[in-house]
Amino acid sequence: MPTTVGEFRADGETPLTMLTAYDAPTAAACERAGIDAILVGDSMGNAALGYDSTLPVTVDEVASRTGAVARATDETLVIADMPFLSFGVDEAESLHNAGRMLKEAGAHAVKLESGSHTVDLTERLAELGIPVMAHLGLTPQKVNQLGYARQGTSREAASEIVDLAVAHEDAGAFALVLEHVPANLAARITDELSISTIGIGAGKNCDGQVLVANDVLGLGERIPPFAESFGDLRGEMETAIADYVDAVEDEEFPADEHSHVESDLDDLY
């Protein structure tokens, strides 16, 4: 598993794997399972923090969750997702916020939802030793402009994404997430770039794949059309909790083996 961004490259045979995680137990499970990289995504807003979108997520929330993930892993690349308005408004503030993720939280890199406004910032971050994973296509922080529709479906829009992908590679990005774009567009960009492309809803010709952990584990009530559940953790959790409730109410828990009686204290009662 890669522990530096320089090692985060597909070997031409086995695709790279990336999954989101927002807490230490999930991060540890990802590492044991052999995940190449963990994205501490601003998707925590929907997946873990109870928000309706990613927009309310704060720098402090991402830093706290990134710290938990970093402390739980030794060999997995940890990438912190920069939340809405934490970058792109003021350069000094952008650099400070991104730097916190490495300096304080222990991430190896940051991810920026990208556009023309992040090319120069990517170059500056790279100059300072803050590796950047770019992100094009569907960018959920622009939900109020774009919704959640597939991007790059017209020639003009596709050409713009290609140009931005090349620009971010030239600026020093070490990898690129392509979200919810046509598979043939993602394949073309993958061929065009020397850095790794990571797809989510972008077909199988990217250098790797990423999904939200809640979707993979079956924790959510619904999943996007480009995702798949590989478990039913929500159902297993509900069953376990219901069994606990029944055991307590039926006075089956705690049993004798869960308790200790100190005989020297008998005369106190």
Side-chain angles (χ1 to χ4, degrees):
M1 291 181 287
T3 54
T4 68
V5 297
E7 297 172 328
F8 190 69
R9 302 183 67 86
D11 60 11
E13 297 180 3
T14 305
L16 295 164
T17 56
M18 186 164 76
L19 194 65
T20 65
Y22 320 110
D23 57 70
T26 306
C30 286
E31 182 158 280
R32 288 194 296 268
I35 286 287
D36 292 311
I38 294 173
L39 173 64
V40 189
D42 65 352
S43 52
M44 68 178 70
N46 313 70
L49 299 178
Y51 299 137
D52 292 332
S53 72
T54 66
L55 301 186
V57 176
T58 67
V59 173
D60 286 342
E61 286 169 334
V62 175
S64 174
R65 298 290 179 137
T66 299
V69 168
R71 289 189 293 271
T73 54
D74 296 312
E75 301 177 351
T76 308
L77 195 69
V78 177
I79 303 162
D81 204 1
M82 299 307 299
F84 181 57
L85 293 184
S86 67
F87 63 96
V89 178
D90 175 78
E91 182 180 281
E93 184 179 12
S94 301
L95 300 177
H96 173 74
N97 289 336
R100 281 188 61 190
M101 299 304 167
L102 277 66
K103 188 176 180 68
E104 299 176 15
H108 301 103
V110 299
K111 182 177 76 65
L112 304 179
E113 291 196 10
S114 305
S116 57
H117 63 296
T118 57
V119 175
D120 290 342
L121 177 59
T122 296
E123 183 172 13
R124 183 68 180 125
L125 287 168
E127 287 174 349
L128 291 173
I130 303 173
V132 174
M133 173 178 279
H135 178 169
L136 294 170
L138 174 60
T139 47
Q141 291 176 12
K142 291 186 177 179
V143 60
N144 290 321
Q145 291 176 295
L146 304 176
Y148 295 106
R150 182 180 291 108
Q151 300 298 303
T153 55
S154 69
R155 286 184 175 273
E156 180 180 359
S159 294
E160 181 180 359
I161 293 174
V162 172
D163 291 343
L164 284 171
V166 172
H168 281 82
E169 178 180 46
D170 291 344
F174 75 91
L176 169 66
V177 171
L178 291 169
E179 180 170 357
H180 207 21
V181 299
N184 50 338
L185 172 58
R188 178 189 166 188
I189 293 172
T190 300
D191 288 341
E192 185 88 13
L193 303 183
S194 60
I195 60 175
S196 296
T197 59
I198 307 298
I200 175 168
K204 61 182 180 180
N205 291 316
C206 293
D207 295 310
Q209 298 292 325
V210 61
L211 283 176
V212 172
N214 288 36
D215 296 336
V216 169
L217 298 174
L219 267 174
E221 295 181 358
R222 57 186 181 275
I223 64 172
F226 49 75
E228 182 172 346
S229 292
F230 295 84
D232 181 23
L233 197 53
R234 182 186 181 94
E236 293 183 16
M237 289 174 64
E238 291 174 350
T239 297
I241 294 168
D243 288 347
Y244 165 70
V245 171
D246 290 343
V248 172
E249 293 179 346
D250 293 342
E251 299 185 2
E252 296 174 354
F253 179 85
D256 290 343
E257 63 265 28
H258 302 122
S259 304
H260 172 72
V261 175
E262 184 59 61
S263 58
D264 289 347
L265 300 180
D266 287 346
D267 61 350
L268 296 178
Y269 303 96

